[in-house]
Amino acid sequence: ESLAVLDQLATVLEAAHALRPGDHDAVVLLADAYAGADRLEDASQVLNEAINAHRGRRSKELAVLQHRMGRLAYAAGDQAVELAWLNAALDSDMQNGQVASELAEVAMETENYETALKALRAVTLMKTPGPMSRALAFLRQGQIAQRQGDARKAAFLARKALSEDAALEEAQEFLQSLEGA
């Protein structure tokens, strides 16, 4: 039943998109409706057309479109493509906290530590807070340092996380595990 509603919504949004094909919000809403209706190919096509219209010019709007492509890749179960789109989205808008935090998580899951560190550093430099706190970003950098065999750097970053948020239990436990090793 909800797929039928989303399909009807997509039909309405198709008409809006036809009236204003260059309208960013119409494209995003239409792509979201397609994705919700499990019409991933249609969503991908609409997003690709909009991305191509940007002709490689980086912007917040382009980052939103690339982020949506990452979500489509996630829905399709393609983590490598998701990682590529999220990385492109962060390159387009380094102040997008949602993109940076999602990219950091996916990159860590796939053990792509250089990309994860790039995203985590972006989180720590953001002007406005996003879904991931600065403290958690420092902690994740410390966890990567530990995995790479740099216990000293890991402890430094855990302390930095605690200086941002002294109540972050995960950082307290991580630092204790490092000091106990």
Side-chain angles (χ1 to χ4, degrees), residues 95-170:
Q95 291 296 314
N96 188 320
Q98 184 69 42
V99 168
S101 59
E102 285 181 33
L103 177 58
E105 294 297 329
V106 173
M108 285 186 71
E109 283 174 23
T110 59
E111 297 181 2
N112 187 330
Y113 295 133
E114 290 308 309
T115 301
L117 288 169
K118 169 186 160 183
L120 293 165
R121 282 188 213 105
V123 169
T124 65
L125 297 172
M126 299 222 164
K127 295 176 183 118
T128 55
M132 180 182 284
S133 69
R134 288 172 45 94
L136 191 56
F138 284 125
L139 173 61
R140 296 287 182 255
Q141 289 178 64
Q143 291 167 333
I144 290 170
Q146 180 196 33
R147 290 177 189 156
Q148 293 177 329
D150 192 342
R152 213 162 113 196
K153 185 175 183 180
F156 168 78
L157 288 162
R159 285 188 205 95
K160 197 157 174 77
L162 288 169
S163 74
E164 289 285 331
D165 181 0
L168 186 60
E169 286 182 33
E170 189 179 354

Side-chain angles (χ1 to χ4, degrees), residues 11-164:
T11 302
V12 171
L13 290 169
E14 285 168 349
H17 179 59
L19 291 172
R20 299 188 66 182
D23 185 88
H24 174 75
D25 293 332
V27 168
V28 172
L29 289 171
L30 179 56
D32 287 348
Y34 281 152
D38 206 27
R39 294 171 58 183
L40 301 183
E41 286 295 323
D42 291 331
S44 179
Q45 182 179 347
V46 167
L47 289 170
N48 268 320
E49 288 171 8
I51 288 167
N52 291 336
H54 280 266
R55 294 183 185 83
R57 290 185 308 269
R58 294 178 179 175
S59 66
K60 291 179 182 189
E61 291 80 15
L62 178 59
V64 169
L65 299 170
Q66 293 166 325
H67 182 225
R68 289 305 198 282
M69 288 295 283
R71 286 188 175 168
L72 290 179
Y74 172 80
D78 193 335
Q79 220 171 23
V81 172
E82 177 188 12
L83 187 72
W85 278 114
L86 291 174
N87 198 20
L90 185 61
D91 286 343
S92 294
D93 181 8
M94 292 296 286
Q95 291 296 314
N96 188 320
Q98 184 69 42
V99 168
S101 59
E102 285 181 33
L103 177 58
E105 294 297 329
V106 173
M108 285 186 71
E109 283 174 23
T110 59
E111 297 181 2
N112 187 330
Y113 295 133
E114 290 308 309
T115 301
L117 288 169
K118 169 186 160 183
L120 293 165
R121 282 188 213 105
V123 169
T124 65
L125 297 172
M126 299 222 164
K127 295 176 183 118
T128 55
M132 180 182 284
S133 69
R134 288 172 45 94
L136 191 56
F138 284 125
L139 173 61
R140 296 287 182 255
Q141 289 178 64
Q143 291 167 333
I144 290 170
Q146 180 196 33
R147 290 177 189 156
Q148 293 177 329
D150 192 342
R152 213 162 113 196
K153 185 175 183 180
F156 168 78
L157 288 162
R159 285 188 205 95
K160 197 157 174 77
L162 288 169
S163 74
E164 289 285 331

